[in-house]
Amino acid sequence: MKHDIQNRNDLELLVRTFYDKVRADAELGPIFNEIITDWEPHLQKIINFWEQHTFGVQKYKGDPIEAHNQVDERMNYGITAHNFGTWLFYWINTLDDLFEGSNVDLLKFKARKMQTIFFMNMAQNRP
């Protein structure tokens, strides 16, 4: 039986399972695998990010909007709304595969909101 996301261990399972899918995807894999060369620190940073957005734990250090702008620049401003849609598809499906509950709903909502903010900011910062 599925349960709600209750702690960092649940977030770790979510993030690792999600990125396994993303890294293997024909559309997203080349982007992520070119940019991220040392996966473990990245995974820990992302787990910190979601732990902060789920439980208020202040471990995350970084600027995700700037990070996405840098990725877009490195990819010759080729990141598309479709890429973000594919990312969201995997995020929601991974959440649904592993968990159920109010924190799952919260993480879906926050991911949809961030997807829009990140992509709009990237589009505004293109030359």
Side-chain angles (χ1 to χ4, degrees):
M1 181 163 165
K2 296 178 192 175
H3 65 276
D4 202 0
I5 295 172
Q6 300 170 348
N7 53 43
R8 184 176 177 88
N9 288 339
D10 289 341
L11 289 171
E12 185 161 353
L13 174 62
L14 168 64
V15 168
R16 288 182 185 282
T17 303
F18 167 75
Y19 275 107
D20 284 347
K21 294 176 185 180
V22 166
R23 291 172 73 181
D25 181 73
E27 176 187 349
L28 298 181
I31 298 167
F32 280 87
N33 291 318
E34 179 177 325
I35 300 292
I36 302 164
T37 56
D38 190 357
W39 272 92
E40 192 54 34
H42 180 73
L43 293 172
Q44 291 304 315
K45 187 172 200 169
I46 299 303
I47 294 164
N48 289 345
F49 176 86
W50 287 111
E51 191 175 22
Q52 179 172 313
H53 284 277
T54 309
F55 304 116
V57 175
Q58 299 294 315
K59 289 182 186 174
Y60 176 75
K61 304 277 189 265
D63 182 345
I65 291 175
E66 181 56 29
H68 285 81
N69 287 340
Q70 289 175 8
V71 168
D72 190 43
E73 181 179 358
R74 186 159 171 194
M75 305 274 48
N76 297 314
Y77 305 103
I79 303 297
T80 66
H82 190 272
N83 296 146
F84 275 90
T86 302
W87 179 94
L88 187 63
F89 169 82
Y90 282 116
W91 184 252
I92 289 172
N93 281 318
T94 305
L95 281 163
D96 287 342
D97 286 348
L98 298 174
F99 302 102
E100 64 184 7
S102 60
N103 283 332
V104 171
D105 296 336
L106 175 70
L107 290 179
K108 289 177 185 178
F109 171 79
K110 287 186 180 254
R112 285 184 190 104
K113 189 173 175 181
M114 288 177 208
Q115 168 195 20
T116 301
I117 292 168
F118 292 175
F119 185 72
M120 294 303 295
N121 192 276
M122 280 189 342
Q124 291 171 348
N125 281 287
R126 289 179 174 170

